[in-house]
Amino acid sequence: MAIRERLYPDQKSATMMLKHCADARFVWNLGLEQRNLWVRHRSARITSTSQQKELAEARREVAWLRQGSSPVQQAALRDLDRAFQNWWKNPTHFSRPTWRKAGLHEGFYIRDLTVQRINRHWGEVLVPKCGMVCFKISRQWSDIAATTSARVTLDRAGRWHVSFTAPQPSFNWEGTGAIVGLDMGIAQSVTTSDGRHLNMPKLLSPGETQRKRRLQRQLSRQHKGSKRRAATKHQVAVLCAREADRRKDWIGKTTTELVREFDLLVIENLKVKSMVRSAKGTIQSPGKNVKAKSGLNRSIHSQAWGMFRQRLSDKSGAATSPVEIIVINPAYTSQRCSGCGHTAKNNRESQEVFLCQSCAYTDNADVNAAKNILAAGLAVSGRGGASPAKSTTTQHSDPMKRQPLVGAAA
């Protein structure tokens, strides 16, 4: 778990911290290039120890590198080695380490952390070659004081943050016996099988939305590299950061409520990356309804289904007695009747209305889909399905198309 607090450096400290970010990014990219160019049986094996020795030699030869902080640069190489180790051990979860870019990956790692409390609301952290830098306290000080490392980051809105590494806290989990299926959508952010609609509030006010659109149009007309374009870009980034903070806040509160209320949660295995592919096509075969598809893609990105699922999984695993989460294949959950099982495209009359053409069962379309998701999850659980904290169980929502599970009862 990371305790993220807002950092308030002065101008001199901020300048030095920017150099730390640049040095950490340079060392990471240089170490990554070495590993990418390595060929088996043609050169010595590259390890974290060998790269640390080469970094020490480079610092003796290069003056601007020597002016930076050695612990910060060494930590970047340790991060790179850890990223490769994670990728090798679990390539299905971790991707291959990639390049870090200026303006996007701005941060560095602090080891052997020193923190002290000033008063009730403020604390200080020791940043290499910057001295003590103030940060705002919003969490329990005992959790912050127990940490031994931290990461300092700069977002595109110009805000500095420090994230303290702390063990994941566990809350007193009391089994309720309740179960629920969750249907993710756009018109309704989350619909539960018991008929509730959990809607993400508007992330920006009408005035903020209009201002963001105006600034984006202004940005497209300005020359790259100009000071006015940089100022406009910063104003857009401030609004985007505000939007992202509100989204994370809603997802955090909603997932906590669900994990505390239910013992079993069934969600869809949505392939978001495939769902938001562009519909522009090519010159020879242009796409159809490109503008409508672009709007749909923006709506899907705004709902952040992947983040919602990740936070739900993280919090279920943090409980004293972990809540079980089952992931199912979302195919036909919107077209299948939860009453009789009849599956047909014309069962769903509109965005909100579901009317079965076989048994005349009617319900809210999203609630009907959530009920199908729950039924599929219960079938998986009853036939030996496991929690995704150990393995991800994905099954078809239609019982006739489910595959038998290994080790399941006949």
Side-chain angles (χ1 to χ4, degrees):
M1 184 193 71
I3 301 176
R4 189 165 178 258
E5 304 286 14
R6 183 73 181 273
L7 200 62
Y8 293 91
D10 55 25
Q11 185 62 41
K12 183 178 179 180
S13 298
T15 303
M16 193 64 203
M17 288 161 61
L18 282 174
K19 177 172 174 55
H20 289 338
C21 294
D23 290 348
R25 186 171 56 251
F26 170 79
V27 171
W28 169 285
N29 289 338
L30 186 59
L32 178 61
E33 184 177 9
Q34 281 185 325
R35 290 175 180 257
N36 289 341
L37 294 176
W38 180 80
V39 180
R40 189 184 297 272
H41 306 308
R42 291 190 180 181
S43 58
R45 182 183 176 185
I46 297 177
T47 63
S48 177
T49 304
S50 65
Q51 289 189 317
Q52 294 285 359
K53 293 179 179 179
E54 294 174 357
L55 174 62
E57 295 175 0
R59 285 177 57 85
R60 286 193 291 267
E61 299 294 333
V62 182
W64 65 266
L65 195 61
R66 186 169 58 251
Q67 293 173 358
S69 171
S70 177
V72 169
Q73 297 167 11
Q74 292 172 358
L77 288 179
R78 283 193 295 269
D79 285 346
L80 178 64
D81 183 69
R82 189 181 303 111
F84 270 99
Q85 295 291 340
N86 292 337
W87 175 51
W88 292 333
K89 293 178 181 178
N90 191 1
T92 58
H93 181 74
F94 296 98
S95 59
R96 183 187 180 94
T98 57
W99 307 106
R100 288 185 175 178
K101 301 179 182 179
L104 185 62
H105 302 98
E106 299 286 355
F108 57 92
Y109 184 79
I110 302 177
R111 199 177 183 182
D112 299 329
L113 191 65
T114 300
V115 293
Q116 64 183 23
R117 189 169 189 172
I118 300 176
N119 52 38
R120 181 180 177 183
H121 300 290
W122 292 92
E124 287 182 330
V125 57
L126 180 61
V127 179
K129 296 202 171 186
C130 296
M132 303 301 290
V133 180
C134 295
F135 65 90
K136 193 71 175 290
I137 301 175
S138 63
R139 304 286 287 274
Q140 290 290 336
W141 176 253
S142 58
D143 296 336
I144 298 176
T147 59
T148 58
S149 60
R151 186 173 297 275
V152 177
T153 56
L154 174 67
D155 62 15
R156 283 181 282 185
R159 302 176 302 179
W160 288 96
H161 292 89
V162 56
S163 299
F164 300 98
T165 305
Q168 182 71 34
S170 60
F171 56 83
N172 295 326
W173 180 84
E174 298 179 358
T176 61
I179 58 178
V180 71
L182 304 178
D183 176 64
M184 310 299 296
I186 296 175
Q188 308 289 344
S189 299
V190 182
T191 302
T192 63
S193 55
D194 56 7
R196 288 186 297 167
H197 298 292
L198 309 176
N199 291 317
M200 184 182 298
K202 293 292 184 182
L203 301 178
L204 293 177
S205 66
E208 290 173 331
T209 303
Q210 183 179 3
R211 182 167 179 265
K212 180 182 176 182
R213 187 181 301 113
R214 176 178 57 81
L215 289 171
Q216 288 174 333
R217 292 173 179 173
Q218 180 178 329
L219 185 69
S220 65
R221 297 191 298 266
Q222 293 175 329
H223 295 286
K224 291 185 178 181
S226 65
K227 293 184 178 179
R228 290 187 177 181
R229 189 177 191 277
T232 304
K233 187 176 181 181
H234 174 73
Q235 294 177 29
V236 174
V238 170
L239 291 174
C240 291
R242 191 176 303 169
E243 183 178 8
D245 290 344
R246 292 169 181 172
R247 180 186 297 109
K248 291 179 182 178
D249 179 71
W250 181 84
I251 290 177
K253 292 178 179 178
T254 304
T255 52
T256 299
E257 178 184 354
L258 290 172
V259 169
R260 289 182 180 274
E261 187 174 351
F262 297 99
D263 293 355
L264 173 67
L265 300 105
V266 186
I267 58 178
E268 304 168 283
N269 185 23
L270 297 174
K271 306 295 184 181
V272 180
K273 187 175 181 179
S274 301
M275 296 172 67
V276 296
R277 285 179 180 170
S278 175
K280 291 182 179 179
T282 61
I283 298 178
Q284 292 75 15
S285 57
K288 299 180 181 179
N289 299 325
V290 176
K291 189 174 182 180
K293 183 62 169 63
S294 299
L296 177 64
N297 292 348
R298 284 193 296 270
S299 299
I300 293 175
H301 281 302
S302 178
Q303 294 297 325
W305 294 338
M307 181 188 298
F308 187 93
R309 174 178 169 180
Q310 183 63 46
R311 297 300 296 138
L312 201 64
S313 300
D314 293 342
K315 293 180 180 181
S316 65
T320 305
S321 180
V323 177
E324 184 180 6
I325 296 182
I326 296 177
V327 185
I328 68 155
N329 190 326
Y332 303 109
T333 53
S334 299
Q335 302 175 10
R336 183 172 180 268
C337 175
S338 60
C340 68
H342 175 69
T343 303
K345 186 177 181 180
N346 54 358
N347 279 349
R348 185 162 185 170
E349 290 194 342
S350 65
Q351 173 64 35
E352 296 184 358
V353 180
F354 181 90
L355 178 61
C356 180
Q357 303 300 311
S358 177
C359 67
Y361 171 80
T362 183
D363 199 350
N364 180 277
D366 294 329
V367 174
N368 176 77
K371 291 179 179 179
N372 288 330
I373 293 169
L374 176 60
L378 290 177
V380 172
S381 178
R383 297 174 62 185
S387 170
K390 299 179 181 178
S391 64
T392 301
T393 301
T394 304
Q395 281 284 22
H396 205 286
S397 60
D398 191 340
M400 301 302 296
K401 297 182 179 180
R402 293 182 190 137
Q403 300 295 326
L405 299 174
V406 177

